[in-house]
Amino acid sequence: MALETQSDRKAVTSAPIEDVLAWRWSPRSFDANATITDEQVLSILEAARWAPSAVNFQPRRFVVGKRGTPTFDKIASHLTSNNKVWAPNASLLILAIAVKADGPTADARPNPWAEYDTGQAAANIVFQAHALGLHAHQMAGMEVDKMREEFALPAHFSPITTIAIGKVADVGLLPEDLQAREIAERTRLPVDTLVLQRD
Ligand SMILES: Cc1cc2nc3c(=O)[nH]c(=O)nc-3n(C[C@H](O)[C@H](O)[C@H](O)COP(=O)(O)O)c2cc1C
């Protein structure tokens, strides 16, 4: 199968949206030879840094590893199911962690928006990667407790997702059972379903 099958995955929208939103998608076929530069990594992390958050608490932290480094291997080793198969070909893995309270003690104030604000930073990461000509794929499929243990995270640090970033490779390089998903039609609920009330 040729790469063209993966290059026409623009969202079909009922109104125009920005290109970076329409063209973003989550591949599984990453080029195992592609590398990411330090400048690109910094740009992606700056995008995360500038995401909004409730009361500007910025309750998110990241563990970041380029392919070929011990940090990358540690993150990859705690991914689960199919994620274990395709994600190790990405150029970069980022573990996104929510900081769920303002301290580790019993009197620490919980932050009810920690996961939400981590997700906002993750979205910035994904779109900045896209703007750099890369692709990103978020994964919840990971062993959260192992991640916590591996990176010695305190109890109020909660691993939320791992984000794989890299260059798209030909769909034919994926194991057969993953190929159909890579080129399946992209679908969404209609706007009318999302919106409960609109005047
Ligand atoms: C929080 C979150 C967790 C996800 N977990 C996984 C995962 O473990 N494995 C996987 O292959 N894709 C995972 N995805 C990717 C979604 O399946 C994908 O974003 C969705 O099907 C829409 O496809 P698109 O991103 O190409 O538009 C996850 C996405 C998000 C936002």
Side-chain angles (χ1 to χ4, degrees):
M1 244 171 281
L3 187 57
E4 283 72 53
T5 53
Q6 294 157 296
S7 63
D8 188 21
R9 299 189 62 68
K10 187 178 182 189
V12 177
T13 61
S14 55
I17 60 174
E18 291 299 313
D19 274 354
V20 72
L21 301 171
W23 282 102
R24 180 216 60 81
W25 66 285
S26 306
R28 291 182 178 80
S29 189
F30 282 104
D31 181 347
N33 296 311
T35 54
I36 189 165
T37 65
D38 288 338
E39 201 182 0
Q40 287 173 317
V41 175
L42 189 56
S43 162
I44 285 165
L45 296 175
E46 273 295 342
R49 179 175 169 234
W50 283 99
S53 64
V55 204
N56 201 20
F57 277 155
Q58 305 162 64
R60 51 238 172 176
R61 300 291 184 269
F62 304 96
V63 176
V64 182
K66 285 186 188 179
R67 197 184 56 252
T69 66
T71 301
F72 183 101
D73 292 344
K74 284 177 188 170
I75 299 173
S77 72
H78 302 310
L79 298 174
T80 55
S81 62
N82 282 325
N83 297 339
K84 248 183 157 46
V85 175
W86 57 264
N89 289 334
S91 308
L92 188 76
L93 290 177
I94 300 178
L95 175 64
I97 299 155
V99 181
K100 298 183 69 162
D102 66 1
T105 56
D107 61 347
R109 279 171 306 180
N111 181 349
W113 308 287
E115 288 95 342
Y116 185 92
D117 289 344
T118 303
Q120 303 222 54
N124 274 20
I125 286 174
V126 167
F127 291 120
Q128 185 62 37
H130 188 94
L132 292 169
L134 303 168
H135 280 75
H137 194 140
Q138 302 173 73
M139 293 163 274
M142 60 184 184
E143 296 171 301
V144 170
D145 289 340
K146 297 259 174 67
M147 291 287 194
R148 198 192 293 284
E149 199 181 314
E150 182 77 77
F151 298 110
L153 303 178
H156 63 302
F157 279 37
S158 185
I160 304 293
T161 50
T162 295
I163 309 167
I165 297 173
K167 281 262 180 214
V168 177
D170 194 291
V171 60
L173 295 172
L174 280 172
E176 234 165 73
D177 55 327
L178 293 180
Q179 290 183 18
R181 290 164 76 178
E182 187 79 348
I183 54 174
E185 188 190 352
R186 298 186 62 221
T187 62
R188 288 298 191 271
L189 297 171
V191 169
D192 282 350
T193 306
L194 301 183
V195 178
L196 298 179
Q197 192 169 326
R198 176 180 159 193
D199 285 326

